[in-house]
C-alpha cells in the first residue's frame, strides 16, 4: 500500500468517524482559523488574504461537519478583512475588497454545502456497506443453517423444473434414497420413480404445481438400490419474481415403518371387529372406550353409548369387588389375569358365564395406558357341562337298572333251567337281546328308542322283518325305561315261537302289530304278537321264566295290561297301555 493510499484511507476514516461534541468541533474550527490566519499573514501578507482559508474551510467541513465549516467561513472572511483593512476608508475596506470578501464568503459557503453533501454521501455509503456486509454475514449464516437442515433432514427434498425433471436433491434426500451422486439421476423425470398408481399421482401433482396449487399423495417407490418404500409426498410450486411458478418443490417422507404399523393396527382392528369373542378396552381409571360388535351383543349394548361405563359395571356386585380388589391389581403386577366369572346383561339382568381374560396395555416404555380384554362366552360350555353331568347321572341310573335286569334274568334263568347247559344257552341268548336293546338306547344317548328299530334288532336272530316276520305300525318313540323290558319280551316270544310255535316249521308266520287309539292324554297304545301256521298250541302245564318275564315285566314297566292267549291256531300276546306311560309324546 502506497503512502498516498494510506493517507486517503486515513482521511476517509477521519471523515466517517463518530461525531464529536459541538463545543469541541466549534473550538477546533476557531483554533484552525487562527492558525491559518497567522500562517497567511506571515507568508502572504495582504497580497493574497483569502488564499489559505479556502482549503482550511473545506477540510474543517469534511472532518467536523457543516456547522464548523460555516463558522470557519465567517471567521476566515473576518480574518482576511482585517489583513486588508485601512483606517482611512469609511467602511474599513475598499469597494474591491468588499466585493472580494463577499465573493469569498459565497463561494466558500457553496463549497461547504458541496463538501457536506459529499460527507453525507460518504456516511450513507459507509452505512450501506456495513449493512451489505451484515447482510452477507446473515445470508451466509442462513445458508449454512439451511444447508445443515437439508443435510440433517431425513426427508427427501427435491427441486424439479416445470417439466418434472430433477434439478436438486438434498443431502438427507441422497441418504434416504440410497444415492451417493446426484448426477446419476439429475435431469431424470421424477414421476418415473413411482409405481402403479403413484406414477399417475406424481403427474397430477406436477400439473397442479404448474398451475400454482400444492398437493399431497401417498405412494410406493424404490430407492436407487431397489429398496421398496412407502412415501408421503408434498408437492408445491416455487414462485419466481413475477409471482408465477418457476420451479417445483417436492418433499418425500419415508413412512414405511408407519405404514407397516398402520397395517398391523388395521389387521388388529379387523380381527377385533370380526371376532366372535368379547373384545374391549378401558383406560387406567376403568372407563371403557372400545367394545366390538360381539361384545355389545353379548351384554345387550348394541347401540348404547359406552363412554360412561366402567369395567365393574359388567359384573354382578359381588364380582365387581373382586375385579377391583384382586383382578386389576394382579394385572398391574403380572400383566394379565384369566378366570371364570359372570357378566350381566344390561337389559335383562341375565347372568352370563364367561372366561374373562384381561391384560395390560402399555406404551413403548412399559408405562400402563389401560386394560384390554378378550372374553369368551361360556354359556354353551356351561350348558354342555350341565348336560354332561345330567347325562352321567342318567347313564349311571340306566346302568344300575340294566344291571338289576341282568341280575334278575340271571337268577330266574338259573332257577328254572333243568341243567347247566340249558341255563348257559338261555342266559346268553337273553343277554344278547338285552345288548341289542341297549344298543338302540346308546344310539340315542339313552334318551329314547324307536319301537320298530327295537323290534327289528330283537327279532334279527330269527330272520328279522320281511318274509315270515311282519312288522306293522306307526312311528312310536319308546321311553328308555320300557325299551329294555320290551326287547327282552320280544326275545322270549321269538325264542318260544322258534322252539314251539310258528317259527318252528317252514310255513308259520309271526305278525307284530301296534296302533294308537285316541288323542292327547287319552291316547292308548296297543301291541299285538300274533302267530299263525305253526303246530297246534295248548296252554303250558308250568309257567317258566319266559312267560313270567313277558307278562309281569311288561305289565310293570308299561303300567298297562299284558295277557297271553294260547289259541290252537297260534299264540297271541296283547299289551295295552296309556301312550304317555310308554312313549315320548310328540316325537
Amino acid at each position: 500500500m502506497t503512502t498516498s493510499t494510506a493517507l486517503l484511507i486515513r482521511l476517509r476514516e477521519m471523515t466517517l468517524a463518530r461525531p464529536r461534541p459541538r463545543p469541541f468541533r466549534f473550538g477546533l474550527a476557531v483554533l484552525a482559523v487562527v492558525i491559518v490566519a497567522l500562517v497567511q499573514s506571515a507568508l502572504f501578507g495582504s497580497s493574497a488574504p483569502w488564499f489559505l482559508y479556502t482549503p482550511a474551510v473545506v477540510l474543517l467541513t469534511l472532518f467536523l461537519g457543516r456547522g464548523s465549516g460555516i463558522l470557519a467561513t465567517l471567521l476566515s472572511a473576518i480574518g482576511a478583512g482585517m489583513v486588508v483593512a485601512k483606517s482611512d476608508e469609511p467602511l474599513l475596506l475598499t469597494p474591491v475588497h468588499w466585493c472580494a470578501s463577499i465573493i469569498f464568503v459565497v463561494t466558500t459557503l457553496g463549497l461547504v454545502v458541496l463538501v457536506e453533501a459529499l460527507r453525507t454521501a460518504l456516511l450513507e455509503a459507509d452505512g450501506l456497506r456495513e449493512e451489505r456486509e451484515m447482510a452477507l454475514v446473515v445470508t451466509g449464516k442462513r445458508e449454512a443453517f439451511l444447508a445443515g437442515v437439508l443435510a440433517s433432514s431425513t426427508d427427501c427434498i427435491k427441486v424439479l423444473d416445470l417439466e418434472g425433471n430433477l434439478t436438486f436433491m438434498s443431502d438427507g434426500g441422497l441418504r434416504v434414497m440410497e444415492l451417493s451422486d446426484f448426477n446419476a439421476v439429475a435431469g431424470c423425470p421424477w414421476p418415473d420413480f413411482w409405481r402403479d398408481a403413484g406414477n399417475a399421482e406424481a403427474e397430477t401433482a406436477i400439473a397442479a404445481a404448474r398451475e400454482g396449487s400444492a398437493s399431497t399423495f401417498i405412494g410406493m417407490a424404490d430407492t436407487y438400490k431397489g429398496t421398496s418404500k412407502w412415501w408421503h409426498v408434498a408437492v408445491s410450486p416455487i414462485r419466481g419474481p413475477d409471482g408465477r411458478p418457476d420451479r417445483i418443490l417436492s418433499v418425500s417422507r419415508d413412512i414405511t415403518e408407519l405404514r407397516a404399523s398402520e397395517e398391523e393396527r388395521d389387521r388388529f382392528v379387523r380381527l377385533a371387529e370380526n371376532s366372535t369373542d368379547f373384545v374391549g378396552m378401558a383406560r387406567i381409571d376403568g372407563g371403557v372406550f372400545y367394545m366390538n360388535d360381539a361384545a355389545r351383543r353379548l351384554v345387550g349394548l348394541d347401540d348404547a353409548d359406552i363412554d360412561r361405563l366402567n369395567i365393574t359395571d359388567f359384573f354382578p356386585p359381588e364380582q365387581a369387588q373382586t375385579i377391583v380388589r384382586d383382578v386389576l391389581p394382579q394385572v398391574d403386577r403380572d400383566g394379565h389375569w384369566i378366570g371364570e366369572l359372570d357378566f350381566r346383561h344390561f337389559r335383562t339382568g341375565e347372568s352370563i358365564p364367561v372366561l374373562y381374560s384381561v391384560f395390560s396395555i402399555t406404551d413403548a416404555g412399559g408405562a400402563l395406558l389401560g386394560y384390554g380384554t378378550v372374553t369368551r362366552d361360556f354359556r354353551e360350555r356351561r350348558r354342555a357341562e350341565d348336560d354332561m353331568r345330567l347325562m352321567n347321572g342318567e347313564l349311571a341310573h340306566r346302568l344300575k337298572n340294566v344291571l338289576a335286569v341282568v341280575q334278575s334274568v340271571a337268577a330266574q334263568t338259573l332257577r328254572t333251567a333243568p341243567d347247566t347247559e340249558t341255563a348257559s344257552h338261555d342266559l346268553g341268548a337273553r343277554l344278547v337281546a338285552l345288548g341289542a336293546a341297549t344298543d338302540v338306547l346308546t344310539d340315542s344317548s339313552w334318551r329314547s328308542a324307536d319301537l320298530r328299530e327295537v323290534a327289528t334288532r330283537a327279532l334279527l336272530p330269527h330272520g328279522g322283518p320281511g318274509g315270515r316276520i311282519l312288522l306293522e305300525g306307526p312311528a312310536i318313540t319308546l321311553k328308555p325305561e320300557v325299551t329294555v323290558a320290551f326287547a327282552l319280551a320280544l326275545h322270549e316270544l321269538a325264542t318260544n315261537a322258534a322252539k314251539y310255535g310258528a317259527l318252528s316249521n317252514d310255513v308259520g308266520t309271526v305278525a307284530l302289530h301296534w296302533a294308537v287309539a285316541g288323542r292327547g292324554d287319552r291316547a292308548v297304545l296297543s301291541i299285538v304278537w300274533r302267530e299263525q301256521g305253526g303246530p297246534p298250541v295248548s296252554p303250558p302245564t308250568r309257567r317258566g321264566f319266559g312267560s313270567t318275564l313277558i307278562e309281569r315285566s311288561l305289565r310293570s314297566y308299561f303300567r298297562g295290561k299284558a295277557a297271553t292267549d294260547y289259541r290252537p291256531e297260534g299264540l297271541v300276546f296283547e299289551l295295552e297301555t296309556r301312550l304317555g306311560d310308554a312313549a315320548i309324546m310328540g316325537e
Side-chain angles (χ1 to χ4, degrees):
M1 181 183 298
T2 62
T3 303
S4 59
T5 303
L7 180 60
L8 290 175
I9 293 174
R10 181 57 184 164
L11 289 175
R12 181 178 180 280
E13 291 175 352
M14 292 176 63
T15 302
L16 301 177
R18 183 172 58 87
R20 300 290 192 273
R22 180 175 294 180
F24 175 80
R25 288 184 283 117
F26 285 174
L28 187 59
V30 171
L31 178 60
V33 171
V34 170
I35 293 173
V36 170
L38 293 176
V39 173
Q40 169 70 25
S41 176
L43 295 178
F44 302 103
S46 60
S47 61
W50 299 282
F51 179 70
L52 293 180
Y53 288 108
T54 299
V57 170
V58 170
L59 292 175
L60 288 173
T61 303
L62 185 63
F63 295 145
L64 301 179
R66 182 176 55 187
S68 298
I70 293 173
L71 176 61
T73 299
L74 296 177
L75 292 177
S76 296
I78 294 172
M82 293 178 61
V83 172
V84 295
K86 294 182 179 180
S87 57
D88 57 348
E89 291 291 333
L91 297 177
L92 298 179
L93 297 177
T94 64
V96 174
H97 287 157
W98 276 111
C99 289
S101 296
I102 292 173
I103 292 171
F104 170 78
V105 170
V106 172
T107 55
T108 304
L109 288 177
L111 287 174
V112 168
V113 173
L114 290 175
V115 171
E116 177 62 17
L118 174 62
R119 183 174 183 275
T120 301
L122 288 174
L123 290 173
E124 291 179 351
D126 190 68
L128 291 175
R129 181 184 61 79
E130 290 181 355
E131 289 180 1
R132 186 177 71 252
E133 291 177 352
M134 184 62 68
L136 290 174
V137 171
V138 172
T139 300
K141 291 181 178 180
R142 183 182 296 113
E143 289 179 351
F145 173 75
L146 291 177
V149 170
L150 291 176
S152 302
S153 176
T154 57
D155 292 340
C156 182
I157 302 173
K158 302 168 292 295
V159 177
L160 318 175
D161 60 25
L162 293 180
E163 299 302 319
N165 299 316
L166 287 167
T167 62
F168 169 80
M169 184 180 294
S170 65
D171 291 343
L174 293 174
R175 286 196 303 272
V176 76
M177 285 297 294
E178 299 180 321
L179 180 64
S180 58
D181 184 7
F182 174 68
N183 291 326
V185 295
C188 293
W190 178 63
D192 291 351
F193 287 87
W194 297 95
R195 291 185 189 174
D196 306 326
N199 181 269
E201 294 273 11
E203 293 283 5
T204 302
I206 290 174
R210 279 198 294 263
E211 298 298 325
S213 300
S215 60
T216 62
F217 69 92
I218 294 176
M220 178 174 279
D222 295 340
T223 66
Y224 192 71
K225 292 183 178 180
T227 305
S228 296
K229 293 186 177 183
W230 282 96
W231 307 88
H232 179 275
V233 187
V235 180
S236 57
I238 301 175
R239 300 184 182 277
D242 58 356
R244 296 179 179 179
D246 180 57
R247 286 174 292 176
I248 298 173
L249 175 67
S250 169
V251 180
S252 303
R253 176 162 294 177
D254 181 4
I255 60 169
T256 305
E257 293 184 1
L258 177 62
R259 184 84 173 190
S261 65
E262 288 179 348
E263 291 176 353
E264 185 67 25
R265 182 197 62 193
D266 291 342
R267 281 195 294 270
F268 169 76
V269 171
R270 288 194 299 271
L271 180 64
E273 288 296 337
N274 296 327
S275 174
T276 57
D277 290 333
F278 181 111
V279 179
M281 286 181 279
R283 293 178 287 273
I284 296 179
D285 60 1
V288 177
F289 65 88
Y290 172 78
M291 291 172 62
N292 68 344
D293 292 341
R296 290 174 176 271
R297 287 193 299 270
L298 180 64
V299 295
L301 293 173
D302 299 74
D303 300 316
D305 182 8
I306 63 172
D307 290 341
R308 296 186 179 182
L309 289 178
N310 193 278
I311 294 176
T312 56
D313 295 332
F314 292 82
F315 300 91
E318 63 277 8
Q319 292 188 5
Q321 294 301 318
T322 302
I323 295 295
V324 174
R325 185 182 61 252
D326 301 327
V327 174
L328 294 184
Q330 182 172 338
V331 174
D332 294 342
R333 184 177 61 256
D334 302 333
H336 67 279
W337 185 92
I338 185 170
E340 293 190 33
L341 294 174
D342 293 325
F343 277 169
R344 68 178 185 88
H345 198 281
F346 281 80
R347 288 201 301 266
T348 65
E350 173 193 0
S351 181
I352 305 172
V354 296
L355 179 64
Y356 184 59
S357 174
V358 59
F359 52 88
S360 60
I361 301 175
T362 60
D363 62 14
L368 183 66
L369 298 178
Y371 304 98
T373 179
V374 179
T375 297
R376 181 152 295 176
D377 183 357
F378 255 31
R379 285 178 294 187
E380 288 297 329
R381 176 169 174 174
R382 190 72 60 85
R383 279 193 289 265
E385 291 174 349
D386 292 342
D387 289 346
M388 183 63 70
R389 283 192 293 270
L390 178 62
M391 184 180 298
N392 289 337
E394 185 175 344
L395 179 60
H397 174 70
R398 300 302 176 203
L399 289 175
K400 289 179 182 178
N401 288 344
V402 170
L403 290 175
V405 171
V406 170
Q407 184 180 17
S408 175
V409 169
Q412 290 290 343
T413 301
L414 294 175
R415 187 182 304 120
T416 58
D419 53 55
T420 304
E421 184 179 353
T422 303
S424 175
H425 178 272
D426 291 348
L427 181 58
R430 286 164 180 164
L431 291 179
V432 169
L434 179 62
T438 57
D439 284 344
V440 178
L441 288 171
T442 303
D443 290 344
S444 59
S445 302
W446 286 80
R447 297 183 182 274
S448 60
D450 181 69
L451 189 153
R452 181 180 294 274
E453 185 176 358
V454 173
T456 299
R457 294 199 184 191
L459 299 175
L460 196 59
H462 304 280
R468 299 174 65 190
I469 300 176
L470 304 176
L471 302 182
E472 182 182 7
I476 299 293
T477 302
L478 296 177
K479 291 182 177 179
E481 56 266 26
V482 305
T483 299
V484 174
F486 181 64
L488 288 174
L490 288 179
H491 168 72
E492 292 300 325
L493 288 170
T495 301
N496 289 338
K499 287 182 178 181
Y500 316 111
L503 299 181
S504 64
N505 58 25
D506 296 332
V507 295
T509 61
V510 173
L512 179 63
H513 173 79
W514 64 92
V516 177
R519 304 181 64 182
D521 293 339
R522 296 184 179 181
V524 175
L525 171 65
S526 61
I527 302 175
V528 178
W529 172 280
R530 189 182 304 275
E531 298 183 19
Q532 290 181 337
V537 177
S538 60
T541 58
R542 183 179 63 86
R543 294 180 65 85
F545 171 68
S547 300
T548 302
L549 176 65
I550 293 171
E551 293 185 8
R552 290 184 180 178
S553 64
L554 291 184
R555 190 181 300 121
S556 173
Y557 280 101
F558 280 82
R559 301 176 185 178
K561 301 175 182 179
T564 305
D565 187 0
Y566 297 93
R567 300 176 185 177
E569 66 274 14
L571 181 142
V572 176
F573 172 77
E574 293 181 327
L575 172 65
E576 187 176 286
T577 181
R578 289 179 62 251
L579 181 62
D581 291 335
I584 297 177
M585 305 290 288
E587 292 294 316

